[in-house]
Amino acid sequence: MNAISKQTKAKDIRPFDIESVRADFPILQRTVHGKPLTYLDSAASAQKPKQVIDVIRYQYEHEYANVHRGAYSLSEALTGKYEEAREKVRAFINAGSDREIVFTKGATEAINLVAATFGRMLKAGDEVVITGLEHHSNIVPWQLLRDQIGITLKVVPVLADGSVDLSAFEAAMTGKTKLVSVAHVSNALGTILPVKDIVQLAHSVGAKCLIDGCQGVVHEVVDVQALDCDFYAFSGHKLYGPTGIGVLYGKEELLSEMPPYQGGGEMISTVTFERSEWAELPAKFEAGTPPIVQAVGLGAAIDYVSLFDRAAVAAHEQDLLNYATEQLKSINSLRLIGTAKHKTAVASFVLDGAHPHDLATILDRSGVCVRAGHHCAQPLMDSFGVTATLRASFGMYNTRSEVDVLIEALGRAREILG
């Protein structure tokens, strides 16, 4: 029994029926340019089920107040739901304590938090290792740290199929390596990295490991204790939740050692003009008014995702990827970018003689939403010799017939572009 099956073996699992799932997402009922919406950009941001939308609306209409500071019923009620959401996140990724769950405004802030706090404990000459398939949010914070304190940033190259060789990781790590920071799943290619092996390699040289789980947490069951990662970051809006909410998981002993990220609000225990002392975890890292309703919305999204047998959802998404890959391969002059053996539901490609931006604009006239560009992964695009790709990414609500719509729309686009 794999990890997904273990997690989802429960009494109240809702059967995964694609039409029933699609009915949960109101936006999928609309049209674009008179055509049914075909939304194939879930890697950028997933659509929201009504179960999440209803929770967010209810909070603003009936139960909104600030949290952790109001001695009245509205504030106390929402404080309870905010902390309940933290517990849902803890259970979802199997963290050992809710003290290890820090709410941020997104995954980018979560990674920057680690760079600005754990990173401040590094010194010149220490090494941070990343891969060539990282998106900018897992590159730039380490470049900033390099420029500030003189760390060395090392990059493990990407192979021709978009995968990463573990032996290259082993070669990159030395006694100076203090942190390895890698994507769980590439947002641009869909490559699934062997993160458990990478964590073990990092620990073998005494380094810590951060996993950028923006795509991984959507398509994989995540167990941070089984992975033994030191940090795990993800955002809510790719997990069918609202924007403006992210999560940083960190091992409690590490978070306790790290200095605060920002100052103000409830991140203190005492303040005088001479000095301040910090609040207990996780409040130490949640300065100012937190993303309150967004956190509650993320909790609702986790509730929604957890309704289903995630093995069934993963199988559905893999079927879509396999079907789309075969259909795309049948198109002349189309080149798939990223063909690693272990992939999740992302198909990235270029078409000779057609710029991805032009293609995306034409596809939109058929109601097809795909992403065109460098996907915030310019170094990765450079390694494949392209400036941009067209990316179709699939969520739990997509269907094979929508893949057909994409293929037909690509055919029409080629006719238009000559």
Side-chain angles (χ1 to χ4, degrees), residues 77-306:
L78 193 48
T79 298
K81 290 190 175 180
Y82 180 76
E83 292 303 328
E84 183 180 306
R86 195 188 309 277
E87 168 57 24
K88 289 177 182 178
V89 172
R90 185 210 64 74
F92 190 63
I93 62 173
N94 194 33
S97 166
D98 59 8
R99 290 163 59 85
E100 299 179 317
I101 305 300
V102 177
F103 283 131
T104 64
K105 67 180 180 183
T108 296
E109 186 182 42
I111 296 171
N112 275 272
L113 189 162
V114 176
T117 55
F118 177 84
R120 283 165 56 189
M121 301 192 295
L122 303 182
K123 62 182 186 300
D126 286 344
E127 297 172 352
V128 172
V129 176
I130 61 176
T131 79
L133 55 67
E134 304 305 322
H135 67 126
H136 298 164
S137 294
N138 199 27
I139 300 173
V140 179
W142 312 116
Q143 291 176 329
L144 293 172
L145 193 63
R146 177 194 61 195
D147 297 342
Q148 290 164 0
I149 65 173
I151 64 161
T152 299
L153 182 58
K154 301 174 77 171
V155 182
V156 174
V158 177
L159 301 178
D161 65 353
S163 64
V164 178
D165 189 352
L166 274 178
S167 63
F169 262 103
E170 198 165 5
M173 286 187 250
T174 72
K176 294 182 179 179
T177 306
K178 301 303 178 187
L179 181 71
V180 176
S181 187
V182 299
H184 193 166
V185 173
S186 163
N187 70 310
L189 308 181
T191 304
I192 302 172
L193 273 70
V195 287
K196 188 166 185 176
D197 293 332
I198 293 171
V199 170
Q200 291 175 350
L201 282 174
H203 289 174
S204 71
V205 296
K208 306 302 181 188
C209 191
L210 184 156
I211 299 174
D212 167 10
C214 281
Q215 306 297 330
V217 79
V218 179
H219 303 290
E220 301 274 309
V221 167
V222 174
D223 182 333
V224 292
Q225 294 190 78
L227 287 173
D228 197 27
C229 58
D230 301 284
F231 302 103
Y232 195 97
F234 66 95
S235 55
H237 69 101
K238 299 180 196 298
L239 191 62
Y240 308 102
T243 56
I245 181 70
V247 170
L248 174 67
Y249 158 81
K251 287 181 177 175
E252 186 170 344
E253 61 270 26
L254 272 173
L255 294 178
S256 296
E257 293 173 3
M258 289 156 49
Y261 173 49
Q262 296 175 328
E266 296 295 303
M267 53 75 69
I268 53 86
S269 60
T270 60
V271 174
T272 68
F273 282 113
E274 286 71 37
R275 60 169 296 170
S276 298
E277 295 183 355
W278 316 132
E280 296 293 322
L281 294 173
K284 184 173 81 171
F285 294 106
E286 295 184 357
T289 298
I292 306 166
V293 176
Q294 293 92 329
V296 177
L298 173 58
I302 287 174
D303 285 344
Y304 182 77
V305 171
S306 301

Side-chain angles (χ1 to χ4, degrees), residues 5 14 21 64 91 129 164 168 171 174-175 210 226 228 230 290 322 345 381 404:
S5 297
R14 175 176 153 185
V21 169
Y64 181 76
V129 176
V164 178
T174 72
L210 184 156
D228 197 27
D230 301 284
N322 294 342
M381 296 293 109
D404 293 337

Side-chain angles (χ1 to χ4, degrees), residues 132-133 158-164 185-193 318 321-322 324-326 328-329 334-350 375 380-381 383-386 388-392 394:
L133 55 67
V158 177
L159 301 178
D161 65 353
S163 64
V164 178
V185 173
S186 163
N187 70 310
L189 308 181
T191 304
I192 302 172
L193 273 70
Q318 193 64 47
L321 175 64
N322 294 342
T325 300
E326 290 305 311
L328 290 168
K329 282 181 176 177
L334 185 146
R335 178 163 67 106
L336 290 166
I337 304 295
T339 54
K341 181 179 179 182
H342 299 294
K343 279 190 62 173
T344 190
V346 172
S348 199
F349 55 93
V350 292
H375 316 299
L380 179 62
M381 296 293 109
S383 71
F384 280 97
V386 298
T389 71
L390 207 66
R391 183 187 69 186
F394 306 103

Side-chain angles (χ1 to χ4, degrees), residues 26 48-64 81 242 293-294 296-297 300:
K48 320 305 175 191
K50 60 186 178 184
Q51 290 86 340
V52 171
I53 297 169
D54 288 348
V55 165
I56 294 170
R57 181 186 297 116
Y58 180 86
Q59 293 305 142
Y60 281 124
E61 289 182 349
H62 300 284
E63 210 171 50
Y64 181 76
K81 290 190 175 180
V293 176
Q294 293 92 329
V296 177

